[in-house]
Amino acid sequence: MNFHSTRDKSKTLSAAQAIAKGLSEDGGLFVPDSFPKLSQDDFKVLLTMDYKARAVDIMGRYLADFTAEELTGFAANAYGKQFDTECAAPVRTVNDGTHYLELWHGPTSAFKDMALQMLPYLLTTSIKKTGETKKVCILTATSGDTGKAALEGFCDVPDCKIMVFYPKDGVSQIQELQMTSQEGSNVSVASVYGNFDDAQTGVKKIFSDPDFRAELADKGWFLSSANSINFGRLLPQVVYYISAYCDLVNAGSIAFGDAINFCVPTGNFGNILAGYYAKQMGLPVHKLICASNANDVLTEFIETGVYNRKRPFFTTVSPSMDILVSSNLERLLYHLTGGDDAYVRSCMEALERDGCYKVSDELLKVLHETFACGCCDEDATKAKIADMFGENHYLIDTHTAVAGHVLDVYRKATGDERTAVVVSTASPYKFCGAVLAAIGGTVDCDGIALLDRLNEKSGAPVPKPLASLKGKNPRFNQTFEKEAMTQVVRDFI
């Protein structure tokens, strides 16, 4: 299994090289040259495994230069005691046909833990395998959850620093305190004036600046990424789609071979892309339903084939999806076009130059074979939270509510009532104010105090990682213009 850039497939890299680099120097994202296929016999074996063993099996099919022994050790450490449930990613059945895949039982109470507890092991080992002697600085832009999960994963890792940028006033109070109070001698956090796209664009520009790369190399450093632009971040996410399917079969909720739907709240497209990878490997998936909030750039793209970031930006109660430039869509375009790197490059150039691009009708037809979509406004998000709590006494966060609502609309519009899994991406306690208000509580205090208020109202336990924030003070409180990001990184290193 080799890897190459979505914008230039002439250069071949190993898995370790792709993970160590994070992002191609041409601005493209690394992709595998094929999808390993899972046979019926492979699935029968996966059914008997726990989550850790499934992770080793599935990731090993892509990581030819890693041994099973290495991956087994990584999985044992990544999905161990820092999770509050033995299975790491449990499936919660709400009714006979609808299940919620809970991806928020890790140390930061968000789905990013599923990948970012694994990535440090993949990255540091990749660096060793490639013979790299320089130290690594991880640069990450976050819309809320990636930042804390990356900081937690790379905290005090030897020969490594990590710098996280997030949009000022663009994350929840809980998310912000999680990041700004992060412990560790090798970490730094800064907010950026603007939105997530401004922070993400700034990070990408730093990666693609040859002069800055040379400057860092002279000082004994190189850059890598913990965003889902890094394949080592994307790959562990493939595991939980396959694992959820196995769990449903084992529970008798579906028969082996039944095709099911996944509804995924997504902004940067990495989470749902992992589902696409699982489907390409042979997972019986009928539709991947892309759920957006008011920033519905992905809904428009899937419906019309037009990707247009020149639109109003909305700050919503589901801030991790407040994104207008979905980086991982580039990978999907590459795969859907059969590896047409020139076509992908032209689309990305048009997006940079004009703010938009349009795919052909033929490509749109191929897209519709796998993907459906929908969006959800603020009122509908809050109503879904209230309905889930009132009808099922099940508390969900704002992003999960977006997906739950979009699934309801999809089913009504299509009549497709097959078994569906809603991918639940965060603990409701990360967005206390919006969730508490939605279930009829009073919001008259700040984020930390709201933890107890939501607990009293709902009866749902507060995750220990969030409860431990009480009494913590921020270590990092600086905000910069996006033009200053390179200098911020220079000063940090």
Side-chain angles (χ1 to χ4, degrees):
M1 179 70 70
N2 292 312
F3 292 77
H4 41 259
S5 169
T6 51
R7 302 185 192 184
D8 182 2
K9 62 182 179 182
S10 65
K11 297 178 182 178
T12 300
L13 290 81
S14 69
Q17 289 172 322
I19 292 171
K21 288 176 70 69
L23 183 70
S24 177
E25 293 174 358
D26 58 23
L29 281 63
F30 292 119
V31 289
D33 55 16
S34 63
F35 291 105
K37 300 299 182 181
L38 293 168
S39 67
Q40 285 195 7
D41 287 341
D42 290 330
F43 274 110
K44 289 177 182 177
V45 174
L46 287 166
L47 288 170
T48 68
M49 295 178 171
D50 64 10
Y51 191 88
K52 297 171 188 175
R54 289 169 184 166
V56 172
D57 182 291
I58 294 161
M59 295 197 312
R61 297 171 187 269
Y62 290 89
L63 304 177
D65 40 358
F66 288 75
T67 68
E69 183 180 8
E70 287 174 324
L71 294 175
T72 299
F74 299 166
N77 291 326
Y79 305 118
K81 293 181 179 179
Q82 68 272 48
F83 281 76
D84 64 15
T85 175
E86 180 66 26
C87 56
V91 178
R92 170 74 173 263
T93 298
V94 174
N95 57 49
D96 289 341
T98 307
H99 311 269
Y100 280 65
L101 175 57
E102 295 181 345
L103 300 177
W104 39 264
H105 289 276
T108 75
S109 303
F111 82 103
K112 306 297 175 72
D113 289 326
M114 303 304 301
L116 284 164
Q117 287 296 299
M118 176 63 72
L119 181 59
Y121 298 102
L122 294 177
L123 181 58
T124 54
T125 305
S126 292
I127 291 171
K128 293 176 182 177
K129 288 180 181 292
T130 59
E132 179 62 72
T133 59
K134 294 188 288 293
K135 298 178 181 180
V136 61
C137 180
I138 308 296
L139 290 189
T140 296
T142 184
S143 55
D145 289 328
T146 289
K148 173 59 179 177
L151 290 163
E152 191 73 20
F154 285 95
C155 176
D156 289 330
V157 170
D159 298 326
C160 172
K161 288 190 174 187
I162 177 167
M163 177 93 210
V164 170
F165 293 99
Y166 69 94
K168 181 64 176 174
D169 301 324
V171 301
S172 76
Q173 288 179 307
I174 296 291
Q175 288 175 312
E176 184 170 42
L177 184 57
Q178 280 188 296
M179 289 186 285
T180 58
S181 64
Q182 175 68 45
E183 298 175 355
S185 60
N186 66 333
V187 307
S188 187
V189 179
S191 57
V192 177
Y193 291 113
N195 56 41
F196 169 75
D197 295 319
D198 294 316
Q200 179 171 249
T201 299
V203 167
K204 285 185 174 181
K205 285 182 177 178
I206 293 172
F207 270 98
S208 59
D209 183 341
D211 293 334
F212 190 54
R213 287 202 309 270
E215 176 187 336
L216 293 185
D218 288 341
K219 297 177 180 178
W221 290 86
F222 76 99
L223 299 175
S224 191
S225 174
N227 283 93
S228 54
I229 56 178
N230 190 318
F231 187 78
R233 168 57 201 283
L234 178 67
L235 178 57
Q237 296 180 256
V238 179
V239 177
Y240 52 69
Y241 285 92
I242 296 172
S243 184
Y245 188 90
C246 290
D247 287 347
L248 289 173
V249 172
N250 286 336
S253 300
I254 57 174
F256 178 74
D258 288 352
I260 67 174
N261 296 327
F262 285 91
C263 190
V264 189
T266 187
N268 214 21
F269 208 75
N271 198 1
I272 198 168
L273 182 70
Y276 174 80
Y277 274 48
K279 178 178 170 65
Q280 296 306 113
M281 293 177 70
L283 188 68
V285 176
H286 175 62
K287 290 290 185 183
L288 292 167
I289 306 166
C290 179
S292 300
N293 61 16
N295 294 294
D296 58 351
V297 62
L298 286 169
T299 302
E300 181 183 39
F301 173 73
I302 293 172
E303 288 180 344
T304 69
V306 175
Y307 193 96
N308 181 14
R309 63 174 172 81
K310 298 185 297 182
R311 57 175 60 230
F313 178 88
F314 299 103
T315 300
T316 73
V317 294
S318 46
S320 296
M321 298 160 63
D322 290 348
I323 297 172
L324 296 181
V325 180
S326 305
S327 292
N328 272 287
L329 193 60
E330 180 172 344
R331 281 189 170 110
L332 181 66
L333 289 177
Y334 182 90
H335 295 307
L336 292 180
T337 59
D340 191 339
D341 53 352
Y343 182 83
V344 173
R345 190 166 59 249
S346 68
C347 288
M348 295 304 104
E349 289 171 350
L351 184 63
E352 177 70 21
R353 182 183 64 248
D354 306 322
C356 64
Y357 62 84
K358 185 180 188 305
V359 301
S360 66
D361 291 342
E362 292 79 9
L363 188 58
L364 185 61
K365 183 178 179 180
V366 175
L367 180 70
H368 288 165
E369 291 174 0
T370 297
F371 290 90
C373 64
C375 56
C376 179
D377 63 22
E378 301 289 84
D379 290 340
T381 300
K382 296 170 185 176
K384 185 62 181 179
I385 294 171
D387 290 345
M388 287 296 292
F389 185 71
E391 296 174 8
N392 304 287
H393 205 68
Y394 183 53
L395 198 65
I396 59 175
D397 87 293
T398 49
H399 304 76
T400 305
V402 168
H405 172 81
V406 168
L407 176 61
D408 291 343
V409 173
Y410 168 81
R411 282 173 161 168
K412 185 175 182 180
T414 64
D416 181 1
E417 292 292 338
R418 73 185 71 230
T419 297
V421 174
V422 174
V423 178
S424 181
T425 55
S427 165
Y429 281 96
K430 296 199 77 168
F431 308 94
C432 287
V435 173
L436 180 59
I439 64 172
T442 300
V443 181
D444 57 2
C445 50
D446 65 20
I448 298 302
L450 286 174
L451 291 171
D452 291 334
R453 190 71 59 82
L454 182 56
N455 172 253
E456 293 168 1
K457 179 69 176 177
S458 69
V462 182
K464 289 182 180 179
L466 302 184
S468 68
L469 290 173
K470 296 176 183 178
K472 285 194 174 182
N473 296 312
R475 291 179 62 198
F476 308 100
N477 55 16
Q478 290 184 295
T479 304
F480 299 92
E481 298 290 347
K482 59 184 178 181
E483 292 80 9
M485 289 172 63
T486 299
Q487 186 59 47
V488 173
V489 174
R490 179 182 288 115
D491 293 342
F492 173 52
I493 292 178

